[in-house]
């Protein structure tokens, strides 16, 4: 009798296939989005919706932007005035700051992996123009994911205090969070997509994602 392949192995194989063929992955993602299936991770969906709305109000076409350890979402969504990305380990935000100054700096799912997040916040502050904005998003009730390490979790209050240690003033920090119990449990075994119907109800005591907008004083 032919041995059945466990479901998790099939998912793992399919994931490896998509990573090997990124153009196919992007075409599949676009097709699913057109059908109404939301391909963003459920844990990040509300955060992206709110952050994208925030950036739209800033006028992205006029912004000089830096993304630390860049992903796909932000550069795919916006036509920024200019866009610079860094990659670890060539650039370590805990140890370095670029000489350029930016209107907007983005760190999406980065700070939980940093050994020295206060140093990183200080370096971000140094790279912002006066009046520039830092958008930082990081998980809370999410399983440990060592890529390459997993060091930190913050509530909204904790993230605010971290940014204050980096040089931002309390009045210039705006924090948010989102999550619910179903999302927490669903992500025990994998990174679930929003899909068609998964709930966007917010239960404040069960945040899976925490984010902040922090402005450097003019």
């Amino acid at each position: 009798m032919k041995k059945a392949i466990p479901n998790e192995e099939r998912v793992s194989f399919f994931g490896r296939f998509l990573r090997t063929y990124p153009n196919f992955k992007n075409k599949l993602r676009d097709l699913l989005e057109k059908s109404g299936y939301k391909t963003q991770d459920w844990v990040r969906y509300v955060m992206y919706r709110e952050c994208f709305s925030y950036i739209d109000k800033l006028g992205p076409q006029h912004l000089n932007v830096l993304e630390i350890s860049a992903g796909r979402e932000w550069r795919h969504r916006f036509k920024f005035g200019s866009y610079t990305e860094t990659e670890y380990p060539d650039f370590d935000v805990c140890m370095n700051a670029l000489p350029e100054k930016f209107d907007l700096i983005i760190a999406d799912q980065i700070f939980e992996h940093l050994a020295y997040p206060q140093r990183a916040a200080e370096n971000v502050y140094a790279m912002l123009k006066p009046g520039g904005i830092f958008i930082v998003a990081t998980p809370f009730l999410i399983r440990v994911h060592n890529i390459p390490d997993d060091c930190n979790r913050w509530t909204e209050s904790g993230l605010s205090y971290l940014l204050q240690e980096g040089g931002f003033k309390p009045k210039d920090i705006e924090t948010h969070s989102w999550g619910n119990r179903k999302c927490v449990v669903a992500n025990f075994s994998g990174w679930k997509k929003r899909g068609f119907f998964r709930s966007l109800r917010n239960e404040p005591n069960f945040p899976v994602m925490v984010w902040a907008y922090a402005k450097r004083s003019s």
Side-chain angles (χ1 to χ4, degrees):
M1 181 180 293
K2 188 176 180 179
K3 184 178 180 181
I5 301 174
N7 185 59
E8 60 271 19
E9 290 186 18
R10 293 194 194 101
V11 172
S12 178
F13 172 80
F14 188 60
R16 290 195 299 270
F17 175 82
L18 292 178
R19 287 192 293 272
T20 304
Y21 299 98
N23 289 335
F24 176 80
K25 178 180 180 180
N26 291 336
K27 290 179 181 179
L28 178 61
R29 179 190 288 118
D30 291 341
L31 182 64
L32 289 169
E33 287 285 345
K34 288 178 181 177
S35 75
Y37 182 94
K38 301 304 180 183
T39 60
Q40 288 174 338
D41 289 345
W42 188 12
V43 298
R44 304 185 191 185
Y45 186 85
V46 171
M47 179 273 292
Y48 281 137
R49 184 187 68 190
E50 298 302 312
C51 288
F52 289 173
S53 176
Y54 181 88
I55 291 177
D56 277 329
K57 294 174 185 176
L58 297 177
Q61 69 276 14
H62 303 300
L63 299 177
N64 179 23
V65 176
L66 169 67
E67 185 172 1
I68 299 167
S69 295
R72 175 183 184 272
E73 296 290 342
W74 308 83
R75 58 186 167 187
H76 181 75
R77 170 63 172 75
F78 294 103
K79 299 293 184 183
F80 292 118
S82 68
Y83 177 84
T84 301
E85 61 180 291
T86 67
E87 291 296 336
Y88 180 86
D90 295 331
F91 177 83
D92 184 348
V93 71
C94 295
M95 304 299 175
N96 307 108
L98 298 176
E100 296 91 346
K101 305 295 183 184
F102 299 91
D103 300 304
L104 173 65
I105 297 177
I106 300 165
D108 181 11
Q109 319 305 308
I110 302 302
F111 266 55
E112 70 269 25
H113 299 291
L114 301 181
Y116 306 104
Q118 181 178 338
R119 296 182 194 174
E122 291 170 351
N123 285 332
V124 166
Y125 189 86
M127 291 187 289
L128 283 171
K129 296 178 182 178
I133 303 292
F134 178 38
I135 296 181
V136 55
T138 186
F140 189 66
L141 293 178
I142 292 293
R143 70 185 189 279
V144 171
H145 49 294
N146 293 303
I147 312 172
D149 202 358
D150 193 341
C151 305
N152 309 290
R153 295 290 185 273
W154 295 277
T155 61
E156 286 190 48
S157 296
L159 188 56
S160 178
Y161 290 135
L162 171 67
L163 292 169
Q164 290 174 51
E165 288 180 330
F168 296 94
K169 295 180 179 179
K171 68 180 182 63
D172 295 326
I173 300 168
E174 179 183 336
T175 62
H176 300 271
S177 61
W178 176 86
N180 58 54
R181 278 171 279 198
K182 288 184 177 180
C183 188
V184 172
V185 173
N187 283 277
F188 284 170
S189 58
W191 305 116
K192 307 300 184 189
K193 302 303 180 183
R194 165 75 206 290
F196 291 112
F197 305 116
R198 288 193 167 110
S199 173
L200 299 182
R201 176 189 178 194
N202 188 32
E203 296 181 74
N205 289 334
F206 297 90
V208 295
M209 192 60 54
V210 179
W211 66 96
Y213 316 123
K215 179 186 289 188
R216 175 167 178 164
S217 298
S218 300

